[in-house]
Amino acid sequence: MDIVGSTPFEKPASLATTPLGRVELVSGGGAETRLNPQILELLAGDADPAVAMAGEIGSMLKMTVAGRCVIASVHSLGSEGAEIVARIAFLGEGVLDDAGHISAFRRGVTRFPLPGTPVHAVPSPDMHAIFSAGNVPHVEIGTVHPTSSTRAALLVDAMLGKHFALLGSTGTGKSTATALILHRICQMAPAGHIVMIDPHGEYDAAFAGVGAAYDVSNLAMPYWLMNFEEHCEVLLTTSGAERQTDADILAKCLLAARQKNRAADPVARITVDSPIPYVLSDLTNIIQTEMGKLDKASNSAPFLRLKQKIEEIRSDPRYHFMFSGMLVGDSMKSFIKRIFRLPGEGKPISVIDVSGVPSEITSVVVAVLARCVFDYAIWARGQAQHPVLLVCEEAHRYVPSDRSTNNGPVRKILERIAKEGRKYGVSLGLVTQRPSDLAEGVLSQCGTIISMRLNNERDQAFVKAAMPEGARGFLDSIPALRNREAIVCGEGVSIPIRVSFDDLEAGLRPASNDPVFSELWSRTGDEDALVEHVIGRWRNQGR
């Protein structure tokens, strides 16, 4: 019987082994096939969803070549006469056992099919073999589309070793997917070390059982941990030549203030960047002393500007989480142990809620946290390593594509972690809804990209350019993904997959649900007390 275009068409005795069509043209990365629409129509009613979807966009096909089974995905469809023209991209190959099933599947193709090679559907048992993580450390996050039972696994060491990015438009379930992945990692590694930057206060409740939550009320981040560049970001208010003058004065006075502390005694060489405690009043006194040494004709404005800014910050209650007088002692050890979960005591994640941090210094706070992670890893090299995963929500805020944005320190440290972090055991997880606003160099350093639906064409194009593999059929389906679905490409998966995320228990989800307008606008009553309560919190700048 002719496989394609037989007339009249006869129903085959066994659909499971019936070829769907044949290979027509072959290139290095894929092939063009001709499929029989009548056989595809018969398969559409199969009980196995993987077989039922054979020939559709995103589905998988297999071809036998010299005892090996080559797997490919369908990325575009057309028609030519009575036949369906399907263009496919090669994904990998496996070995066929005696029963005709796939085993020992590996990414990449060594033997290519020839024109005329029959093309078959990939049933669920073969899908299990293709996507099985085996004994490799992994976490399961959902099911592989279109199956209902094939589990989707992320290879933890490969994903964290080369960074990852989770992308998706607002409302696609991005925050819940982030929480799901981190929960599964916490379950696998209860002695791990994860630091999460949470800009909206969404994740505190989600990780209450497996993590420690810090915000402006209990973060207690010492101001003296800032390096010189971060000090400049906070204390300097000028630009151009004036800023350089102010910076020179600050560098001299800051170094003198650090040298006054007893903790500086055993340190052989102190620089302006050394994390040595100092007292703010010492810094202002040194500035005053330096100003007193000026000739009367000299300009005292830079000294006055610095003194005024320091006094302003000391008196502003919004900055007390960082510039409190209680933070002068050498609390570096306790701070590092708290934030990095050393020891974690079964709670491996620190959620740093920066929603209450004044917007002017949010980027500096994130910069200090990220730099502490990286510097600790550098100076711990050669010791017992404690790799740290740093997860940044709303990452485009801190590493924007526009270099003119005023966030130098945080951009610099995150770019450095992206480039060098894996050498020192620092992994970076970027979560963003606007990948096109993210610095391209940082996204391209992410070995695993998890892309949920992206509605913006610019974002779609940006992600396609940054994807580590040419999984065209999967990438083209990004705009058509449903909520809680994603395309996963890169080091963290054996081959690119479309995954439907598992349901996350209500108590483990972040507080990121959208308001239900139709329901909330139908409620009335007690508005007076509500407004009074909100105004009280507003004025007290507290929750």
Side-chain angles (χ1 to χ4, degrees):
M1 180 188 69
D2 193 302
I3 295 172
V4 178
S6 60
T7 306
F9 176 72
E10 299 176 12
K11 182 175 180 179
S14 173
L15 287 174
T17 58
T18 302
L20 310 180
R22 65 179 183 272
V23 175
E24 192 76 12
L25 297 171
V26 181
S27 64
E32 188 175 288
T33 64
R34 298 289 191 273
L35 305 180
N36 187 328
Q38 293 171 305
I39 292 182
L40 294 180
E41 188 176 344
L42 283 174
L43 290 179
D46 197 281
D48 184 343
V51 174
M53 282 193 64
E56 297 183 15
I57 294 290
S59 65
M60 290 191 177
L61 301 175
K62 65 180 181 178
M63 295 139 280
T64 303
V65 183
R68 297 176 180 271
C69 192
V70 175
I71 302 297
S73 66
V74 178
H75 65 75
S76 69
L77 293 171
S79 64
E80 192 172 295
E83 298 175 334
I84 293 176
V85 179
R87 291 175 179 82
I88 60 176
F90 297 134
L91 298 176
E93 64 185 18
V95 178
L96 287 173
D97 59 21
D98 294 337
H101 297 307
I102 297 173
S103 61
F105 179 84
R106 295 182 67 181
R107 182 188 300 179
V109 176
T110 57
R111 298 294 298 269
F112 292 86
L114 297 173
T117 302
V119 177
H120 295 79
V122 181
S124 286
D126 284 346
M127 296 282 276
H128 292 317
I130 291 169
F131 292 105
S132 171
N135 296 324
V136 179
H138 65 278
V139 293
E140 294 182 351
I141 57 170
T143 54
V144 177
H145 179 83
T147 71
S148 56
S149 58
T150 302
R151 298 295 291 162
L154 292 176
L155 310 179
V156 174
D157 291 332
M159 181 179 80
L160 300 187
K162 296 184 179 177
H163 314 308
F164 71 92
L166 198 159
L167 320 168
S169 296
T170 302
T172 56
K174 184 173 77 287
S175 298
T176 305
T178 303
L180 171 68
I181 292 169
L182 293 180
H183 270 298
R184 296 288 158 85
I185 292 175
C186 289
Q187 290 169 12
M188 188 198 82
H193 311 283
I194 304 172
V195 179
M196 180 174 204
I197 308 298
D198 177 12
H200 302 303
E202 297 176 344
Y203 293 92
D204 293 7
F207 293 102
V210 293
Y214 301 100
D215 57 17
V216 291
S217 67
N218 65 348
L219 180 58
M221 184 170 78
Y223 59 85
W224 45 263
L225 277 179
M226 293 190 295
N227 64 17
F228 177 62
E229 187 179 9
E230 290 151 1
H231 272 87
C232 290
E233 196 74 18
V234 175
L235 299 178
L236 302 190
T237 57
T238 52
S239 59
E242 282 188 336
R243 186 178 180 88
Q244 186 56 53
T245 302
D246 293 2
D248 291 342
I249 294 169
L250 177 60
K252 182 179 180 181
C253 297
L254 180 58
L255 179 59
R258 290 196 193 278
Q259 289 171 332
K260 285 191 68 174
N261 193 284
R262 287 184 179 178
D265 293 343
V267 181
R269 178 174 172 269
I270 296 176
T271 71
V272 73
D273 289 330
S274 301
I276 303 292
Y278 72 88
V279 185
L280 280 174
S281 57
D282 282 348
L283 180 58
T284 53
N285 290 338
I286 292 169
I287 292 172
Q288 181 68 45
T289 302
E290 290 295 320
M291 185 170 63
K293 296 178 182 178
L294 293 175
D295 298 330
K296 291 186 178 180
S298 299
N299 184 11
S300 61
F303 297 90
L304 294 173
R305 279 195 297 266
L306 281 172
K307 278 191 65 180
Q308 183 179 353
K309 186 62 179 179
I310 294 170
E311 294 300 333
E312 179 185 314
I313 286 175
R314 288 179 67 184
S315 61
D316 192 334
R318 298 178 304 153
Y319 292 82
H320 278 184
F321 75 95
M322 190 173 177
F323 289 93
S324 165
M326 302 293 291
L327 303 174
V328 176
D330 190 358
S331 56
M332 188 172 181
K333 179 180 176 181
S334 61
F335 180 75
I336 293 291
K337 288 178 68 177
R338 276 193 310 131
I339 300 303
F340 295 176
R341 312 304 300 145
L342 292 167
E345 299 173 340
K347 294 188 173 185
I349 186 168
S350 288
V351 179
I352 315 294
D353 175 6
V354 295
S355 61
V357 174
S359 57
E360 311 92 82
I361 65 165
T362 302
S363 63
V364 173
V365 171
V366 176
V368 172
L369 291 167
R371 189 175 48 75
C372 283
V373 170
F374 189 65
D375 284 353
Y376 181 84
I378 287 177
W379 296 110
R381 205 173 189 188
Q383 308 295 316
Q385 270 195 318
H386 297 283
V388 178
L389 167 60
L390 177 65
V391 182
C392 286
E393 257 277 15
E394 301 283 6
H396 58 274
R397 289 185 177 188
Y398 311 120
V399 205
S401 55
D402 181 7
R403 286 189 173 272
S404 64
T405 308
N406 186 24
N407 55 359
V410 68
R411 182 193 180 103
K412 188 177 293 183
I413 186 59
L414 289 180
E415 284 184 334
R416 190 175 178 197
I417 290 174
K419 293 173 184 174
E420 306 172 29
R422 63 188 182 86
K423 301 175 186 175
Y424 304 102
V426 179
S427 179
L428 187 61
L430 303 176
V431 184
T432 179
Q433 59 186 304
R434 291 305 308 270
S436 61
D437 288 346
L438 194 65
E440 190 172 359
V442 173
L443 189 59
S444 65
Q445 294 288 336
C446 294
T448 305
I449 294 184
I450 305 166
S451 179
M452 307 183 78
R453 187 176 69 250
L454 292 165
N455 300 324
N456 185 282
E457 286 187 14
R458 186 162 163 256
D459 289 331
Q460 295 165 18
F462 196 80
V463 171
K464 288 178 184 178
M467 282 283 191
E469 307 182 35
R472 187 181 301 274
F474 292 91
L475 306 187
D476 288 342
S477 64
I478 286 176
L481 292 173
R482 294 179 294 180
N483 287 352
R484 296 178 50 250
E485 282 191 345
I487 303 297
V488 188
C489 290
E491 303 292 334
V493 285
S494 54
I495 58 173
I497 57 173
R498 177 173 172 175
V499 57
S500 298
F501 287 111
D502 289 338
D503 283 327
L504 192 60
E505 296 89 335
L508 304 181
R509 295 175 193 164
S512 58
N513 292 332
D514 296 329
V516 183
F517 285 77
S518 58
E519 178 187 336
L520 296 174
W521 279 355
S522 65
R523 298 179 185 176
T524 59
D526 207 25
E527 285 85 355
D528 186 73
L530 173 64
V531 172
E532 186 175 338
H533 177 66
V534 171
I535 290 174
R537 291 171 60 186
W538 192 347
R539 285 175 172 165
N540 289 304
Q541 297 288 294
R543 300 188 175 197

